[in-house]
């Protein structure tokens, strides 16, 4: 495979998933330049994550549980959450619950895309290997982003439960990401029998959150009233 083909195959899944979740916004699509900005910041997160993870491995070792839930999931999801919270959470464009999903998925897929590119270039990956990674690691990052963004949207628009949902927006992605990594780290032979049900569950759960976030949009009420008037 040529370098161009490898790069295209490595980048395509993240871009396709981002487009999918971006277009699932029913009422008011986000400014594309802002979504791409968050995506690119997600790309840049790969570098501090690599440095921090290396330092934590030296400090804590490579116990599968610690590595999965703290070094991998903990660091990656915290930095993605930090990025979305401090750049987007109070931004005027974040004006409905589903927007949290769009921006959290953008940050997650930016990170996953560069991670996928590095993996493809360093391991001389075939198309079949990159397809496998599209269905698991890249797709997994998108699912963790949906969970994070859903609860960020809840935190912003259900103010009496904001602290609870802010905590969920960080802790739940760390938990599910940790479970994902722990399964891969500890089930070398039969991992597929655990991973397929896990991914099906995460996809179903995420698509339900997408529907709920859209259904609770304040813009839905505005559009319905406008249609009635017409």
């Amino acid at each position: 495979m040529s370098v161009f083909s490898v790069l295209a195959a490595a980048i395509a899944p993240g871009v396709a998933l981002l487009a999918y979740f971006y277009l699932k916004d029913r009422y008011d699509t986000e400014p594309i330049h802002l979504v791409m900005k968050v995506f690119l910041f997600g790309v840049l997160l790969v570098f501090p994550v690599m440095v921090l993870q290396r330092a934590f491995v030296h400090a804590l070792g490579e116990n599968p549980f610690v590595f999965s839930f703290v070094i991998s999931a903990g660091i990656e999801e915290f930095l993605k959450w930090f990025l979305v919270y401090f750049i987007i959470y109070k931004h005027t464009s974040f004006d409905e619950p589903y927007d949290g999903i769009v921006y959290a998925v953008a940050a997650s897929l930016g990170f996953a895309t560069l991670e996928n590119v590095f993996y493809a270039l360093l391991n001389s990956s075939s198309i079949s290997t990159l397809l496998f990674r599209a269905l698991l690691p890249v797709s997994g990052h998108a699912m963790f982003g949906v969970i994070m963004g859903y609860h960020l949207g809840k935190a912003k628009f259900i103010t009496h439960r904001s602290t609870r949902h802010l905590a969920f927006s960080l802790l739940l992605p760390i938990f599910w990401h940790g479970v994902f990594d722990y399964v891969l780290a500890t089930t070398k032979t039969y991992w597929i029998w655990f991973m397929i049900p896990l991914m099906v569950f995460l996809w179903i759960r995420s698509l339900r959150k997408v529907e709920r976030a859209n259904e609770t949009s304040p813009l839905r009420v505005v559009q319905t009233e406008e249609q009635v008037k017409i």
Side-chain angles (χ1 to χ4, degrees):
M1 288 178 65
S2 68
V3 173
F4 177 79
S5 298
V6 170
L7 286 174
I11 293 170
V15 174
L17 283 167
L18 178 57
Y20 172 78
F21 285 105
Y22 179 79
L23 294 173
K24 292 291 283 185
D25 192 343
R26 293 180 191 168
Y27 302 106
D28 183 30
T29 53
E30 297 308 289
I32 191 66
H33 72 276
L34 189 56
V35 175
M36 293 311 300
K37 177 181 177 180
V38 174
F39 180 87
L40 292 174
F41 274 123
V43 169
L44 295 176
L45 279 183
V46 171
F47 300 103
V49 164
M50 291 170 62
V51 173
L52 288 170
Q53 286 180 336
R54 186 172 182 83
F56 271 70
V57 166
H58 281 297
L60 302 176
E62 296 189 66
N63 173 276
F65 184 87
V66 174
F67 185 86
S68 298
F69 285 91
V70 178
I71 299 173
S72 178
I75 292 173
E76 291 177 19
E77 298 304 328
F78 172 75
L79 289 180
K80 288 187 283 185
W81 180 90
F82 185 89
L83 168 66
V84 177
Y85 181 79
F86 283 97
I87 292 181
I88 294 299
Y89 189 73
K90 295 182 180 179
H91 198 285
T92 54
S93 291
F94 191 168
D95 57 3
E96 58 173 332
Y98 188 79
D99 296 348
I101 292 177
V102 172
Y103 292 113
V105 166
S108 294
L109 288 174
F111 180 91
T113 297
L114 185 57
E115 188 180 57
N116 210 33
V117 167
F118 282 164
Y119 182 92
L121 294 177
L122 294 175
N123 294 279
S124 302
S125 300
S126 64
I127 289 292
S128 59
T129 301
L130 291 174
L131 177 61
F132 161 80
R133 285 188 58 81
L135 294 173
L136 289 179
V138 178
S139 178
H141 276 286
M143 300 303 98
F144 311 142
V146 171
I147 296 168
M148 180 184 295
Y150 174 80
H151 287 287
L152 282 172
K154 287 279 191 179
K156 181 160 184 176
F157 294 97
I158 304 178
T159 53
H160 65 284
R161 293 185 179 177
S162 62
T163 302
R164 174 184 175 184
H165 283 291
L166 276 176
F168 284 167
S169 71
L170 176 60
L171 296 178
L172 288 178
I174 290 175
F175 173 76
W176 288 113
H177 190 160
V179 170
F180 180 98
D181 286 354
Y182 189 72
V183 168
L184 291 179
T186 58
T187 56
K188 300 295 185 182
T189 305
Y190 302 106
W191 62 268
I192 194 74
W193 298 106
F194 296 94
M195 192 55 65
I196 289 178
L198 175 62
M199 291 306 296
V200 169
F201 170 78
L202 287 175
W203 264 101
I204 292 172
R205 180 186 177 93
S206 295
L207 292 177
R208 286 177 177 171
K209 289 187 181 301
V210 164
E211 290 301 312
R212 288 174 187 167
N214 273 313
E215 287 171 0
T216 56
S217 173
L219 301 177
R220 178 188 183 194
V221 177
V222 172
Q223 289 192 10
T224 303
E225 289 177 350
E226 289 177 349
Q227 290 173 358
V228 169
K229 290 178 182 177
I230 292 173

